[in-house]
Amino acid sequence: MERTPHVLVVDDHREIRELLAKYFEKNGLRVSVADGGNAMRQVMRAAAIDLVVLDIMMPGEDGLTLCRQLRRSSDVPIVLLTAVSEETDRIVGLELGADDYVTKPFNPRELLARVRAILRRAAAAPRVEAGPERVLHRFDRWTLDPAAHALLDETGAEVALGTAEFRLLEAFVTRPGLVLTRDQLLDITAGRNAQVFDRSIDNLVSRLRRRIERDPQQPALIKTVWGDGYVFAGKVEETR
């Protein structure tokens, strides 16, 4: 029996999510919805998604950020929803790996046609060998899942982290026991973007400590090495 394609609609507007879910389901697709990045990642972990319809203009993690995250861990097709005035964002989205875009206000029939065309191409494409195994980093009471861009607590609930906070934590847990200078951490978290200074790393470390340390005033995981930088002192276990 042929499997029904499963589409994920990511949009912070409930009306658009409901409209597309009803229209796609009426036309023979399975649909899940998400109102932002956290919900998107939860759905992606729980289900096999064949295509993501992703709104660019969302508060918090915008569609371009989420598109970049998806492309780092998945080749799932992505269709962007953009405003007419977002030409630059559309170009950037395509450069990041999106497969197509539709401008708002859009005709659901046109969007459905584009979705079906991409699904047909994906189904006809030769299958590639699976990539590297998914690696989880477990430490203290936390689990870091780089592929899903998620930090989970001991109950499995996701903890919200900003992009720079996540990159910083990933840098630490993948290099336990190694002293990292502020310059190294700047390169990892910001790529030496303009207007980024050493003090911003100290502030970022303080924010991350408040997220993960049992006592941020006496950190046991991220320790300061005076005159050098920081070191991750926690025990990290990798599982696949």
Side-chain angles (χ1 to χ4, degrees):
M1 185 174 180
E2 188 175 352
R3 177 175 169 273
T4 302
H6 192 169
V7 175
L8 172 59
V9 176
V10 186
D11 197 300
D12 60 313
H13 290 94
R14 179 174 57 83
E15 297 82 0
I16 292 178
R17 296 196 304 271
E18 292 180 352
L19 167 68
L20 291 180
K22 291 178 181 178
Y23 189 77
F24 285 167
E25 288 171 350
K26 180 181 177 182
N27 285 276
L29 299 175
R30 289 182 61 205
V31 184
S32 292
V33 297
D35 61 2
N38 285 339
M40 179 195 78
R41 288 186 285 269
Q42 290 174 6
V43 174
M44 296 290 291
R45 286 197 297 271
I49 298 300
D50 298 294
L51 183 143
V52 178
V53 176
L54 180 60
D55 184 28
I56 284 186
M57 292 299 293
M58 293 189 292
E61 295 177 293
D62 63 23
L64 294 179
T65 299
L66 297 179
C67 181
R68 184 182 297 109
Q69 292 174 12
L70 284 171
R71 271 297 158 266
R72 285 204 297 258
S73 60
S74 171
D75 59 358
V76 62
I78 300 170
V79 177
L80 298 175
L81 299 181
T82 77
V84 175
S85 61
E86 296 166 2
E87 181 178 2
T88 299
D89 286 345
R90 291 199 295 273
I91 295 170
V92 171
L94 293 172
E95 290 175 343
L96 290 174
D99 296 84
D100 203 350
Y101 66 86
V102 174
T103 57
K104 294 181 177 180
F106 57 84
N107 185 325
R109 183 176 178 182
E110 177 190 358
L111 178 57
L112 177 63
R114 291 176 181 269
V115 165
R116 283 178 166 166
I118 293 171
L119 288 172
R120 285 195 298 270
R121 291 199 299 269
R127 294 186 178 275
V128 298
E129 293 184 3
E133 289 183 279
R134 187 172 184 172
V135 178
L136 303 179
H137 305 277
R138 303 184 189 279
F139 60 96
D140 196 47
R141 62 195 190 278
W142 306 103
T143 299
L144 188 74
D145 184 347
H149 198 82
L151 176 65
L152 310 177
D153 65 17
E154 63 267 40
T155 70
E158 186 169 345
V159 177
L161 290 180
T163 299
E165 291 173 328
F166 187 91
R167 289 177 180 168
L168 181 65
L169 181 56
E170 185 177 14
F172 280 131
V173 301
T174 55
R175 302 168 178 84
L178 180 66
V179 176
L180 298 173
T181 67
R182 288 176 175 81
D183 279 346
Q184 289 173 319
L185 294 173
L186 282 170
D187 288 336
I188 291 168
T189 59
R192 277 296 179 185
N193 287 335
Q195 305 303 317
V196 178
F197 304 99
D198 286 0
R199 186 61 186 166
S200 67
I201 286 296
D202 296 332
N203 293 334
L204 193 58
V205 168
S206 295
R207 294 206 307 269
L208 186 57
R209 281 171 169 165
R210 289 195 292 270
R211 301 278 195 183
I212 67 172
E213 296 279 5
R214 297 178 188 271
D215 182 358
Q217 300 304 315
Q218 298 184 20
L221 297 175
I222 303 174
K223 291 185 173 292
T224 301
V225 181
W226 298 108
D228 288 320
Y230 296 94
V231 62
F232 193 81
K235 180 182 178 182
V236 180
E237 297 180 352
E238 292 186 355
T239 59
R240 289 172 168 81

